[in-house]
PDB file of all heavy atoms in Angstrom:
ATOM      1  N   VAL A  10       0.865  -1.191  -0.020  1.00 98.00           N
ATOM      2  CA  VAL A  10      -0.013   0.010   0.019  1.00 98.00           C
ATOM      3  C   VAL A  10       0.875   1.234  -0.007  1.00 98.00           C
ATOM      4  O   VAL A  10       1.917   1.291   0.647  1.00 98.00           O
ATOM      5  CB  VAL A  10      -0.926   0.025   1.238  1.00 98.00           C
ATOM      6  CG1 VAL A  10      -1.855   1.273   1.209  1.00 98.00           C
ATOM      7  CG2 VAL A  10      -1.750  -1.244   1.342  1.00 98.00           C
ATOM      8  N   ILE A  11       0.454   2.272  -0.709  1.00 98.00           N
ATOM      9  CA  ILE A  11       1.060   3.583  -0.605  1.00 98.00           C
ATOM     10  C   ILE A  11      -0.025   4.567  -0.146  1.00 98.00           C
ATOM     11  O   ILE A  11      -1.118   4.609  -0.724  1.00 98.00           O
ATOM     12  CB  ILE A  11       1.634   4.060  -1.943  1.00 98.00           C
ATOM     13  CG1 ILE A  11       2.945   3.274  -2.256  1.00 98.00           C
ATOM     14  CG2 ILE A  11       1.914   5.540  -1.941  1.00 98.00           C
ATOM     15  CD1 ILE A  11       3.660   3.678  -3.499  1.00 98.00           C
ATOM     16  N   VAL A  12       0.290   5.271   0.912  1.00 98.00           N
ATOM     17  CA  VAL A  12      -0.606   6.303   1.478  1.00 98.00           C
ATOM     18  C   VAL A  12       0.021   7.636   1.207  1.00 98.00           C
ATOM     19  O   VAL A  12       1.162   7.899   1.634  1.00 98.00           O
ATOM     20  CB  VAL A  12      -0.841   6.112   2.949  1.00 98.00           C
ATOM     21  CG1 VAL A  12      -1.935   7.088   3.434  1.00 98.00           C
ATOM     22  CG2 VAL A  12      -1.281   4.674   3.280  1.00 98.00           C
ATOM     23  N   THR A  13      -0.685   8.516   0.462  1.00 97.00           N
ATOM     24  CA  THR A  13      -0.127   9.813   0.107  1.00 97.00           C
ATOM     25  C   THR A  13      -1.188  10.911   0.295  1.00 97.00           C
ATOM     26  O   THR A  13      -2.285  10.632   0.771  1.00 97.00           O
ATOM     27  CB  THR A  13       0.447   9.786  -1.315  1.00 97.00           C
ATOM     28  OG1 THR A  13       1.111  10.999  -1.586  1.00 97.00           O
ATOM     29  CG2 THR A  13      -0.658   9.506  -2.337  1.00 97.00           C
ATOM     30  N   ASP A  14      -0.834  12.126  -0.073  1.00 94.00           N
ATOM     31  CA  ASP A  14      -1.712  13.279   0.208  1.00 94.00           C
ATOM     32  C   ASP A  14      -2.394  13.847  -1.052  1.00 94.00           C
ATOM     33  O   ASP A  14      -3.163  14.802  -0.914  1.00 94.00           O
ATOM     34  CB  ASP A  14      -0.926  14.378   0.932  1.00 94.00           C
ATOM     35  CG  ASP A  14       0.199  14.916   0.069  1.00 94.00           C
ATOM     36  OD1 ASP A  14       0.898  14.100  -0.573  1.00 94.00           O
ATOM     37  OD2 ASP A  14       0.423  16.136   0.081  1.00 94.00           O
ATOM     38  N   ALA A  15      -2.058  13.316  -2.210  1.00 93.00           N
ATOM     39  CA  ALA A  15      -2.650  13.849  -3.457  1.00 93.00           C
ATOM     40  C   ALA A  15      -2.675  12.733  -4.487  1.00 93.00           C
ATOM     41  O   ALA A  15      -1.897  11.791  -4.422  1.00 93.00           O
ATOM     42  CB  ALA A  15      -1.812  15.007  -3.998  1.00 93.00           C
ATOM     43  N   PRO A  16      -3.580  12.827  -5.464  1.00 96.00           N
ATOM     44  CA  PRO A  16      -3.682  11.773  -6.476  1.00 96.00           C
ATOM     45  C   PRO A  16      -2.352  11.674  -7.274  1.00 96.00           C
ATOM     46  O   PRO A  16      -1.828  12.702  -7.741  1.00 96.00           O
ATOM     47  CB  PRO A  16      -4.804  12.273  -7.396  1.00 96.00           C
ATOM     48  CG  PRO A  16      -5.575  13.210  -6.567  1.00 96.00           C
ATOM     49  CD  PRO A  16      -4.611  13.877  -5.653  1.00 96.00           C
ATOM     50  N   PRO A  17      -1.791  10.489  -7.398  1.00 96.00           N
ATOM     51  CA  PRO A  17      -0.570  10.285  -8.228  1.00 96.00           C
ATOM     52  C   PRO A  17      -0.877  10.567  -9.701  1.00 96.00           C
ATOM     53  O   PRO A  17      -2.013  10.574 -10.120  1.00 96.00           O
ATOM     54  CB  PRO A  17      -0.174   8.846  -7.965  1.00 96.00           C
ATOM     55  CG  PRO A  17      -0.935   8.441  -6.755  1.00 96.00           C
ATOM     56  CD  PRO A  17      -2.224   9.236  -6.760  1.00 96.00           C
ATOM     57  N   SER A  18       0.155  10.777 -10.476  1.00 96.00           N
ATOM     58  CA  SER A  18      -0.001  10.973 -11.907  1.00 96.00           C
ATOM     59  C   SER A  18      -0.547   9.697 -12.580  1.00 96.00           C
ATOM     60  O   SER A  18      -0.489   8.619 -12.009  1.00 96.00           O
ATOM     61  CB  SER A  18       1.362  11.324 -12.540  1.00 96.00           C
ATOM     62  OG  SER A  18       2.246  10.201 -12.483  1.00 96.00           O
ATOM     63  N   ALA A  19      -1.019   9.863 -13.781  1.00 96.00           N
ATOM     64  CA  ALA A  19      -1.559   8.724 -14.535  1.00 96.00           C
ATOM     65  C   ALA A  19      -0.500   7.669 -14.739  1.00 96.00           C
ATOM     66  O   ALA A  19      -0.809   6.450 -14.703  1.00 96.00           O
ATOM     67  CB  ALA A  19      -2.133   9.215 -15.863  1.00 96.00           C
ATOM     68  N   GLU A  20       0.750   8.095 -14.940  1.00 97.00           N
ATOM     69  CA  GLU A  20       1.826   7.132 -15.120  1.00 97.00           C
ATOM     70  C   GLU A  20       2.044   6.292 -13.887  1.00 97.00           C
ATOM     71  O   GLU A  20       2.241   5.044 -13.970  1.00 97.00           O
ATOM     72  CB  GLU A  20       3.125   7.867 -15.524  1.00 97.00           C
ATOM     73  CG  GLU A  20       3.110   8.507 -16.882  1.00 97.00           C
ATOM     74  CD  GLU A  20       2.361   9.853 -16.902  1.00 97.00           C
ATOM     75  OE1 GLU A  20       1.982  10.329 -15.822  1.00 97.00           O
ATOM     76  OE2 GLU A  20       2.163  10.382 -18.026  1.00 97.00           O
ATOM     77  N   TRP A  21       2.024   6.960 -12.732  1.00 97.00           N
ATOM     78  CA  TRP A  21       2.166   6.235 -11.492  1.00 97.00           C
ATOM     79  C   TRP A  21       1.005   5.301 -11.175  1.00 97.00           C
ATOM     80  O   TRP A  21       1.185   4.189 -10.695  1.00 97.00           O
ATOM     81  CB  TRP A  21       2.407   7.190 -10.327  1.00 97.00           C
ATOM     82  CG  TRP A  21       3.834   7.608 -10.159  1.00 97.00           C
ATOM     83  CD1 TRP A  21       4.356   8.855 -10.380  1.00 97.00           C
ATOM     84  CD2 TRP A  21       4.921   6.783  -9.738  1.00 97.00           C
ATOM     85  NE1 TRP A  21       5.718   8.847 -10.137  1.00 97.00           N
ATOM     86  CE2 TRP A  21       6.077   7.602  -9.709  1.00 97.00           C
ATOM     87  CE3 TRP A  21       5.038   5.445  -9.365  1.00 97.00           C
ATOM     88  CZ2 TRP A  21       7.333   7.074  -9.380  1.00 97.00           C
ATOM     89  CZ3 TRP A  21       6.298   4.945  -9.027  1.00 97.00           C
ATOM     90  CH2 TRP A  21       7.432   5.766  -9.017  1.00 97.00           C
ATOM     91  N   VAL A  22      -0.208   5.748 -11.491  1.00 97.00           N
ATOM     92  CA  VAL A  22      -1.375   4.923 -11.252  1.00 97.00           C
ATOM     93  C   VAL A  22      -1.262   3.638 -12.067  1.00 97.00           C
ATOM     94  O   VAL A  22      -1.540   2.532 -11.609  1.00 97.00           O
ATOM     95  CB  VAL A  22      -2.680   5.683 -11.582  1.00 97.00           C
ATOM     96  CG1 VAL A  22      -3.881   4.731 -11.639  1.00 97.00           C
ATOM     97  CG2 VAL A  22      -2.917   6.811 -10.625  1.00 97.00           C
ATOM     98  N   LYS A  23      -0.844   3.783 -13.317  1.00 97.00           N
ATOM     99  CA  LYS A  23      -0.684   2.623 -14.195  1.00 97.00           C
ATOM    100  C   LYS A  23       0.395   1.675 -13.632  1.00 97.00           C
ATOM    101  O   LYS A  23       0.239   0.457 -13.625  1.00 97.00           O
ATOM    102  CB  LYS A  23      -0.295   3.079 -15.586  1.00 97.00           C
ATOM    103  CG  LYS A  23      -0.170   1.965 -16.613  1.00 97.00           C
ATOM    104  CD  LYS A  23       0.147   2.538 -17.962  1.00 97.00           C
ATOM    105  CE  LYS A  23       0.300   1.402 -19.010  1.00 97.00           C
ATOM    106  NZ  LYS A  23       0.616   1.940 -20.354  1.00 97.00           N
ATOM    107  N   ARG A  24       1.460   2.254 -13.142  1.00 97.00           N
ATOM    108  CA  ARG A  24       2.542   1.428 -12.561  1.00 97.00           C
ATOM    109  C   ARG A  24       2.055   0.723 -11.310  1.00 97.00           C
ATOM    110  O   ARG A  24       2.376  -0.453 -11.114  1.00 97.00           O
ATOM    111  CB  ARG A  24       3.711   2.380 -12.239  1.00 97.00           C
ATOM    112  CG  ARG A  24       4.912   1.669 -11.593  1.00 97.00           C
ATOM    113  CD  ARG A  24       5.615   0.753 -12.579  1.00 97.00           C
ATOM    114  NE  ARG A  24       6.728   0.072 -11.955  1.00 97.00           N
ATOM    115  CZ  ARG A  24       7.942   0.596 -11.802  1.00 97.00           C
ATOM    116  NH1 ARG A  24       8.209   1.820 -12.310  1.00 97.00           N
ATOM    117  NH2 ARG A  24       8.891  -0.099 -11.251  1.00 97.00           N
ATOM    118  N   PHE A  25       1.357   1.417 -10.445  1.00 97.00           N
ATOM    119  CA  PHE A  25       0.855   0.783  -9.236  1.00 97.00           C
ATOM    120  C   PHE A  25      -0.105  -0.353  -9.517  1.00 97.00           C
ATOM    121  O   PHE A  25      -0.064  -1.419  -8.888  1.00 97.00           O
ATOM    122  CB  PHE A  25       0.160   1.827  -8.320  1.00 97.00           C
ATOM    123  CG  PHE A  25       1.063   2.872  -7.764  1.00 97.00           C
ATOM    124  CD1 PHE A  25       0.618   4.184  -7.576  1.00 97.00           C
ATOM    125  CD2 PHE A  25       2.376   2.593  -7.421  1.00 97.00           C
ATOM    126  CE1 PHE A  25       1.460   5.130  -7.054  1.00 97.00           C
ATOM    127  CE2 PHE A  25       3.210   3.540  -6.890  1.00 97.00           C
ATOM    128  CZ  PHE A  25       2.770   4.814  -6.717  1.00 97.00           C
ATOM    129  N   ASP A  26      -0.946  -0.138 -10.507  1.00 96.00           N
ATOM    130  CA  ASP A  26      -1.901  -1.211 -10.949  1.00 96.00           C
ATOM    131  C   ASP A  26      -1.098  -2.436 -11.409  1.00 96.00           C
ATOM    132  O   ASP A  26      -1.440  -3.570 -11.087  1.00 96.00           O
ATOM    133  CB  ASP A  26      -2.801  -0.699 -12.067  1.00 96.00           C
ATOM    134  CG  ASP A  26      -3.859   0.260 -11.563  1.00 96.00           C
ATOM    135  OD1 ASP A  26      -4.104   0.315 -10.325  1.00 96.00           O
ATOM    136  OD2 ASP A  26      -4.456   0.981 -12.375  1.00 96.00           O
ATOM    137  N   ALA A  27      -0.071  -2.192 -12.165  1.00 96.00           N
ATOM    138  CA  ALA A  27       0.732  -3.314 -12.703  1.00 96.00           C
ATOM    139  C   ALA A  27       1.448  -4.043 -11.610  1.00 96.00           C
ATOM    140  O   ALA A  27       1.633  -5.273 -11.695  1.00 96.00           O
ATOM    141  CB  ALA A  27       1.729  -2.757 -13.711  1.00 96.00           C
ATOM    142  N   GLU A  28       1.880  -3.356 -10.577  1.00 95.00           N
ATOM    143  CA  GLU A  28       2.620  -3.967  -9.440  1.00 95.00           C
ATOM    144  C   GLU A  28       1.685  -4.503  -8.336  1.00 95.00           C
ATOM    145  O   GLU A  28       2.164  -5.107  -7.385  1.00 95.00           O
ATOM    146  CB  GLU A  28       3.615  -2.974  -8.864  1.00 95.00           C
ATOM    147  CG  GLU A  28       4.641  -2.425  -9.811  1.00 95.00           C
ATOM    148  CD  GLU A  28       5.704  -3.458 -10.200  1.00 95.00           C
ATOM    149  OE1 GLU A  28       5.626  -4.564  -9.641  1.00 95.00           O
ATOM    150  OE2 GLU A  28       6.567  -3.165 -11.003  1.00 95.00           O
ATOM    151  N   GLY A  29       0.366  -4.244  -8.490  1.00 96.00           N
ATOM    152  CA  GLY A  29      -0.580  -4.679  -7.461  1.00 96.00           C
ATOM    153  C   GLY A  29      -0.471  -3.900  -6.168  1.00 96.00           C
ATOM    154  O   GLY A  29      -0.734  -4.390  -5.088  1.00 96.00           O
ATOM    155  N   VAL A  30      -0.105  -2.616  -6.271  1.00 98.00           N
ATOM    156  CA  VAL A  30       0.058  -1.732  -5.129  1.00 98.00           C
ATOM    157  C   VAL A  30      -1.216  -0.935  -4.955  1.00 98.00           C
ATOM    158  O   VAL A  30      -1.649  -0.209  -5.870  1.00 98.00           O
ATOM    159  CB  VAL A  30       1.288  -0.808  -5.251  1.00 98.00           C
ATOM    160  CG1 VAL A  30       1.370   0.138  -4.069  1.00 98.00           C
ATOM    161  CG2 VAL A  30       2.547  -1.584  -5.415  1.00 98.00           C
ATOM    162  N   ARG A  31      -1.856  -0.981  -3.804  1.00 98.00           N
ATOM    163  CA  ARG A  31      -3.052  -0.215  -3.487  1.00 98.00           C
ATOM    164  C   ARG A  31      -2.613   1.229  -3.127  1.00 98.00           C
ATOM    165  O   ARG A  31      -1.603   1.422  -2.443  1.00 98.00           O
ATOM    166  CB  ARG A  31      -3.808  -0.839  -2.327  1.00 98.00           C
ATOM    167  CG  ARG A  31      -5.020  -0.069  -1.858  1.00 98.00           C
ATOM    168  CD  ARG A  31      -5.598  -0.709  -0.627  1.00 98.00           C
ATOM    169  NE  ARG A  31      -6.658   0.057  -0.016  1.00 98.00           N
ATOM    170  CZ  ARG A  31      -7.140  -0.162   1.229  1.00 98.00           C
ATOM    171  NH1 ARG A  31      -6.636  -1.133   1.992  1.00 98.00           N
ATOM    172  NH2 ARG A  31      -8.114   0.582   1.660  1.00 98.00           N
ATOM    173  N   VAL A  32      -3.388   2.202  -3.584  1.00 98.00           N
ATOM    174  CA  VAL A  32      -3.063   3.621  -3.300  1.00 98.00           C
ATOM    175  C   VAL A  32      -4.175   4.249  -2.509  1.00 98.00           C
ATOM    176  O   VAL A  32      -5.358   4.124  -2.926  1.00 98.00           O
ATOM    177  CB  VAL A  32      -2.796   4.421  -4.584  1.00 98.00           C
ATOM    178  CG1 VAL A  32      -2.436   5.856  -4.259  1.00 98.00           C
ATOM    179  CG2 VAL A  32      -1.707   3.764  -5.427  1.00 98.00           C
ATOM    180  N   ILE A  33      -3.869   4.918  -1.445  1.00 98.00           N
ATOM    181  CA  ILE A  33      -4.831   5.654  -0.625  1.00 98.00           C
ATOM    182  C   ILE A  33      -4.371   7.125  -0.576  1.00 98.00           C
ATOM    183  O   ILE A  33      -3.222   7.410  -0.284  1.00 98.00           O
ATOM    184  CB  ILE A  33      -4.911   5.091   0.812  1.00 98.00           C
ATOM    185  CG1 ILE A  33      -5.355   3.637   0.796  1.00 98.00           C
ATOM    186  CG2 ILE A  33      -5.887   5.933   1.682  1.00 98.00           C
ATOM    187  CD1 ILE A  33      -5.310   2.969   2.156  1.00 98.00           C
ATOM    188  N   TYR A  34      -5.294   8.050  -0.826  1.00 96.00           N
ATOM    189  CA  TYR A  34      -4.985   9.477  -0.732  1.00 96.00           C
ATOM    190  C   TYR A  34      -6.172  10.276  -0.270  1.00 96.00           C
ATOM    191  O   TYR A  34      -7.276   9.764  -0.200  1.00 96.00           O
ATOM    192  CB  TYR A  34      -4.425  10.038  -2.055  1.00 96.00           C
ATOM    193  CG  TYR A  34      -5.337   9.864  -3.258  1.00 96.00           C
ATOM    194  CD1 TYR A  34      -6.321  10.771  -3.515  1.00 96.00           C
ATOM    195  CD2 TYR A  34      -5.186   8.765  -4.087  1.00 96.00           C
ATOM    196  CE1 TYR A  34      -7.137  10.629  -4.623  1.00 96.00           C
ATOM    197  CE2 TYR A  34      -5.995   8.611  -5.213  1.00 96.00           C
ATOM    198  CZ  TYR A  34      -6.967   9.549  -5.449  1.00 96.00           C
ATOM    199  OH  TYR A  34      -7.786   9.405  -6.540  1.00 96.00           O
TER     200      TYR A  34
END
């Protein structure tokens, strides 16, 4: 999981999806 304070860029969202990383912001 990555917990951050703002929506990541589209490139990072795609990368997180590929790596199976959940994102919370």
Side-chain angles (χ1 to χ4, degrees):
V10 182
I11 286 182
V12 186
T13 187
D14 62 319
S18 67
E20 292 79 7
W21 275 111
V22 170
K23 184 178 180 180
R24 179 70 180 277
F25 293 145
D26 287 344
E28 301 287 357
V30 178
R31 177 186 174 195
V32 181
I33 299 174
Y34 56 85

